[in-house]
Amino acid sequence: MVFQICPEGIPSEEFNLLHMLDHDIKYLKFKTYLNTYCPHCHNSFNVEKKDVNQLEFKAIYKGKEIELRLSPYLDVFEIESSIDLKKDEVLDDIICPHCNKSLLNKETACGECGSPVGEVIISALSKLIPFFVCMKYGCEWHGLTKRDERRIKLKIPRQDMPEQDQTLRVHNFQEVPYGYTSELALLEAGRCLQCKNPQCVLGCPVNIDIPKFISLIAEEKFDEATKKIKETNLFPAICGRVCPQESQCEERCIVGHKDKPVAIGRLERFVADYERKMDLVKVPVITKNTGQKIAVIGSGPGGLTIAADMRQLGYGVTVFEALHETGGVLTYGIPEFRMPKSIVQFEINFLKEMGVRIEMNQVIGNIHTIDELLEEFSSVFIGVGAGLPTFMGIENESLGKIFSANEYLTRMNLMKAYLFPEYDTPMPKGQNVTVIGGGNVAMDCARTAKRTGADEVTIVYRRSRHELPAREEEVHHAEEEGIKFKLLTNPVKYIGTDFNTIKAMECIKMELGEPDVSGRRRPVPIEDSNFVLKTDLCIVAVGTGPNPVIFQSTPDLKRNKWGYIDVNPETNETSKEFVYAGGDIVTGSATVIEAMGAGRIAARAMHEKLSAKRKKTTKKTTAKK
């Protein structure tokens, strides 16, 4: 057992004696920055810097001062000095500049090349760890155990993505985050602990092998990392941008227990973009042919996922899309600055190259019924989303310039109103825009309205900030862009002009009461707290419901008490045999990755059932012969 004396400058009453046995590092009670100390006199070698993520220290070599720098990984050792050092040169000795004692540790040698090592003590994450610097220039071995490395990696901060300046981006519809550079991706990947029991995977609706793809990034195998993700998720460029990783995989990240979690979504986006930009995307050659065809209603994330999975299994796949462009909510619902449509179309083209057939302007329920599709196709998947707008049922709701979020975003995104007059759809504009709601859709509407030139955009939400259902990243971006928040506020009446357009909104202040069925505290009106909010354009983003078109032509399709399709949760099969469903039409408004997970469950169950049907048919045919 080795005892280290308290490093100079740290009060003894805040210091716990460090016990080290075979690098079994114990925690200290004091918190200190990343630092280096002499093992003899315990004085700091550090260069006077406040950067806690870079380890620089000075020592003496042949009477001259040299500077050593270590990366945040503590796996790269560089020497900068006036001495002309050459690669593979072995240093004779290095000396502590304070006590003039040799730092060589004669009992230890470099595990890579066998050269002598100099010993220093580093402090990281409130722990002291012996650190062996190989004396061979260019050798990267550092003498730390894997356990030490994992603990020190926690000191690397979560890497932010570069993004457009907020004063510039409110005047354009270009994507806000630029994404990681390879250097930032390597740093962020280095934070992953490679847990033996990775909880992050359990938090992913499609169970991506997260530790494996991150370890491939750390090895700079970016293309292989993308291929690993695509074993379970064919659309990482989409999910890396719009999925709420903070409440799924990242919420379970072990690093997040003591620091910010590993940025799994940002790393997913990085490798997907790398693959696309480097032209490394390979379209699989489909050699199987089951002889069976399936129909997919809707080209949103759930429909695209089952289409890809079933095509790879050898089925003929036809996707029926009601609109004139594919992508579903990815195209009409999510703004360009959050999800570039070129990426969505790239993924659609990928499916087409696989052999998936896509028919646009096909409103199933009107043009064809599900029963009619079953006459031509072996199985059907319903992935039409929940596109029926919900309003609040308050006075004067029919005034002009009151939009549902669906209509507003569809005009702006799908019909390209933001490019008017290049496109024919006029842009809905107002000087004082109000958005009712607190989810991601509300943030999308507010941030879009800001880009149309509105003087002021206000989000009205009936609960407090803590209960906002939108992603924290979206709320943060909205605040940066000057969006105002009127929290604990609810509209009770619209006020119109003589021309029957909205000019103001009467609101009432709220307070939080007991939790409701959602687990959030119920908003309760405060008597006599009414006030008037000036607004000349209002967007209602309080949720959506199931579109009735399919149910009108298929009355025997069982629905739950909320009006959504009732399915077997293990297979996603509906009450009609060989008809499956998934996504928002089953769950109500949810996430892209959850819809993709539903498509994957349905694909697995559909394939299993159709395979059994084929075998049964083959046996009957054989028996007749």
Side-chain angles (χ1 to χ4, degrees):
M1 186 174 290
V2 180
F3 296 90
Q4 297 290 346
I5 299 172
C6 171
E8 185 176 273
I10 300 172
S12 58
E13 65 267 21
E14 296 182 18
F15 182 78
N16 267 1
L17 205 58
L18 178 66
H19 300 259
M20 292 183 293
L21 180 61
D22 294 329
H23 295 259
D24 185 12
I25 312 300
K26 306 295 183 184
Y27 282 89
L28 299 179
K29 289 183 178 177
F30 71 89
K31 184 176 181 179
T32 184
Y33 288 117
L34 204 61
N35 213 335
T36 51
Y37 302 98
C38 172
H40 307 297
C41 67
H42 314 293
N43 280 306
S44 172
F45 291 134
N46 271 39
V47 175
E48 288 298 323
K49 280 197 170 186
K50 296 299 182 185
D51 184 356
V52 300
N53 305 309
Q54 191 177 65
L55 216 161
E56 283 188 25
F57 57 98
K58 292 184 178 179
I60 304 297
Y61 176 63
K62 291 186 176 178
K64 292 186 179 181
E65 190 176 76
I66 62 171
E67 186 176 290
L68 302 97
R69 180 179 295 125
L70 298 153
S71 78
Y73 290 106
L74 301 180
D75 63 356
V76 178
F77 157 52
E78 297 175 349
I79 300 173
E80 293 182 2
S81 72
S82 57
I83 305 168
D84 184 20
L85 294 171
K86 297 178 181 178
K87 189 176 171 77
D88 297 329
E89 181 177 344
V90 178
L91 305 183
D92 301 321
D93 198 0
I94 50 175
I95 307 294
C96 170
H98 303 292
C99 65
N100 294 319
K101 289 187 178 179
S102 171
L103 298 178
L104 283 185
N105 185 322
K106 296 181 179 178
E107 297 178 1
T108 306
C110 174
E112 292 270 330
C113 65
S115 299
V117 296
E119 181 181 3
V120 297
I121 301 296
I122 64 170
S123 65
L125 209 66
S126 301
K127 296 180 292 294
L128 297 182
I129 301 172
F131 188 94
F132 302 109
V133 180
C134 178
M135 307 299 284
K136 181 176 179 180
Y137 179 62
C139 184
E140 297 181 356
W141 186 76
H142 53 65
L144 292 181
T145 66
K146 288 293 181 186
R147 186 176 183 182
D148 294 337
E149 281 189 84
R150 284 196 299 269
R151 288 175 174 176
I152 294 170
K153 280 179 181 177
L154 290 172
K155 195 65 183 179
I156 304 171
R158 181 177 166 112
Q159 302 300 302
D160 292 329
M161 276 195 295
E163 55 187 38
Q164 273 198 77
D165 181 85
Q166 58 263 38
T167 58
L168 297 177
R169 68 187 190 229
V170 295
H171 300 293
N172 65 65
F173 281 80
Q174 295 169 15
E175 189 171 15
V176 171
Y178 293 130
Y180 278 155
T181 62
S182 56
E183 292 80 7
L184 289 173
L186 287 169
L187 276 173
E188 189 60 35
R191 298 178 69 233
C192 179
L193 300 181
Q194 294 296 311
C195 306
K196 290 183 180 178
N197 183 22
Q199 296 300 302
C200 55
V201 176
L202 300 178
C204 175
V206 293
N207 300 120
I208 293 170
D209 189 346
I210 294 168
K212 182 60 179 177
F213 99 74
I214 292 180
S215 72
L216 289 168
I217 293 175
E219 296 171 21
E220 299 189 52
K221 298 177 180 178
F222 304 143
D223 185 37
E224 291 179 36
T226 319
K227 300 297 186 285
K228 175 53 66 174
I229 295 173
K230 286 189 171 181
E231 289 177 4
T232 49
N233 174 14
L234 274 180
F235 310 114
I238 293 173
C239 292
R241 283 172 165 80
V242 300
C243 286
Q245 293 91 6
E246 66 276 3
S247 61
Q248 295 176 336
C249 52
E250 291 181 14
E251 185 177 50
R252 300 194 181 206
C253 175
I254 300 300
V255 176
H257 292 178
K258 296 185 182 210
D259 196 357
K260 291 182 180 179
V262 175
I264 298 168
R266 294 174 180 180
L267 291 172
E268 181 180 28
R269 167 185 167 152
F270 165 74
V271 294
D273 288 353
Y274 177 88
E275 180 194 46
R276 186 180 67 258
K277 290 173 182 176
M278 299 300 289
D279 198 24
L280 297 171
V281 178
K282 304 295 182 189
V283 179
V285 178
I286 310 300
T287 55
K288 303 175 187 176
N289 185 2
T290 64
Q292 293 171 302
K293 299 187 299 179
I294 70 156
V296 176
I297 307 172
S299 64
L304 296 179
T305 299
I306 191 171
D309 285 2
M310 295 301 283
R311 182 69 194 114
Q312 288 186 96
L313 291 168
Y315 293 86
V317 180
T318 301
V319 177
F320 295 93
E321 170 54 52
L323 298 174
H324 61 281
E325 283 191 27
T326 50
V329 69
L330 299 171
T331 298
Y332 74 77
I334 302 176
E336 184 78 13
F337 55 79
R338 200 154 72 88
M339 169 53 67
K341 301 304 169 275
S342 60
I343 292 175
V344 178
Q345 289 309 308
F346 183 90
E347 303 296 1
I348 301 289
N349 291 336
F350 177 82
L351 291 185
K352 289 179 178 178
E353 289 182 43
M354 285 174 60
V356 173
R357 182 183 172 193
I358 299 178
E359 293 191 16
M360 264 86 80
N361 303 307
Q362 298 289 316
V363 182
I364 302 303
N366 285 347
I367 296 176
H368 302 288
T369 66
I370 289 175
D371 289 326
E372 287 171 346
L373 290 179
L374 286 172
E375 293 175 7
E376 181 182 352
F377 297 92
S378 301
S379 190
V380 174
F381 176 81
I382 306 171
V384 295
L388 186 67
T390 298
F391 286 93
M392 300 180 67
I394 61 179
E395 189 177 345
N396 294 330
E397 206 161 49
S398 60
L399 286 172
K401 300 195 80 173
I402 298 176
F403 292 87
S404 70
N406 278 42
E407 180 182 356
Y408 181 76
L409 291 175
T410 299
R411 282 175 179 243
M412 296 299 294
N413 299 325
L414 178 69
M415 303 177 76
K416 303 287 194 298
Y418 70 93
L419 294 175
F420 182 81
E422 182 182 341
Y423 283 76
D424 291 336
T425 304
M427 181 191 298
K429 295 183 74 172
Q431 295 307 306
N432 294 287
V433 179
T434 303
V435 179
I436 304 170
N440 288 328
V441 174
M443 301 303 145
D444 287 344
C445 291
R447 295 176 66 199
T448 298
K450 189 70 176 178
R451 285 161 171 76
T452 65
D455 291 337
E456 191 171 285
V457 180
T458 304
I459 286 177
V460 173
Y461 180 59
R462 61 184 183 153
R463 290 184 168 94
S464 71
R465 182 188 173 100
H466 178 71
E467 285 81 25
L468 275 171
R471 294 184 66 188
E472 182 59 38
E473 181 179 278
E474 300 308 315
V475 176
H476 169 68
H477 280 150
E479 288 178 326
E480 279 190 333
E481 292 166 9
I483 309 297
K484 295 185 177 180
F485 286 77
K486 262 298 188 231
L487 302 173
L488 289 169
T489 301
N490 207 37
V492 294
K493 177 184 177 181
Y494 297 114
I495 302 169
T497 67
D498 294 338
F499 302 99
N500 288 325
T501 59
I502 188 171
K503 71 175 183 181
M505 186 166 64
E506 184 181 334
C507 300
I508 189 169
K509 293 182 179 179
M510 313 290 281
E511 61 184 357
L512 295 179
E514 296 300 313
D516 60 15
V517 291
S518 71
R520 295 178 295 172
R521 293 175 64 189
R522 184 188 301 275
V524 180
I526 299 174
E527 287 188 25
D528 301 323
S529 64
N530 295 47
F531 66 96
V532 173
L533 181 66
K534 182 182 176 181
T535 179
D536 57 355
L537 190 149
C538 182
I539 305 164
V540 184
V542 294
T544 56
N547 194 305
V549 174
I550 279 185
F551 304 118
Q552 289 169 354
S553 63
T554 318
D556 56 337
L557 198 61
K558 186 179 177 183
R559 294 195 273 173
N560 59 28
K561 62 181 180 180
W562 296 285
Y564 298 106
I565 298 176
D566 190 39
V567 299
N568 178 339
E570 293 183 2
T571 63
N572 281 350
E573 189 170 18
T574 69
S575 56
K576 288 180 73 68
E577 192 176 19
F578 293 108
V579 177
Y580 298 76
D584 290 1
I585 192 61
V586 171
T587 62
S589 297
T591 65
V592 168
I593 192 69
E594 286 173 322
M596 293 172 66
R600 178 137 288 164
I601 290 170
R604 191 161 46 241
M606 187 185 288
H607 173 58
E608 191 174 308
K609 190 162 187 172
L610 292 177
S611 296
K613 183 181 178 181
R614 282 199 309 275
K615 289 179 182 178
K616 192 174 180 180
T617 303
T618 303
K619 283 183 180 179
K620 283 184 179 180
T621 304
T622 305
K624 285 181 181 180
K625 289 180 179 179

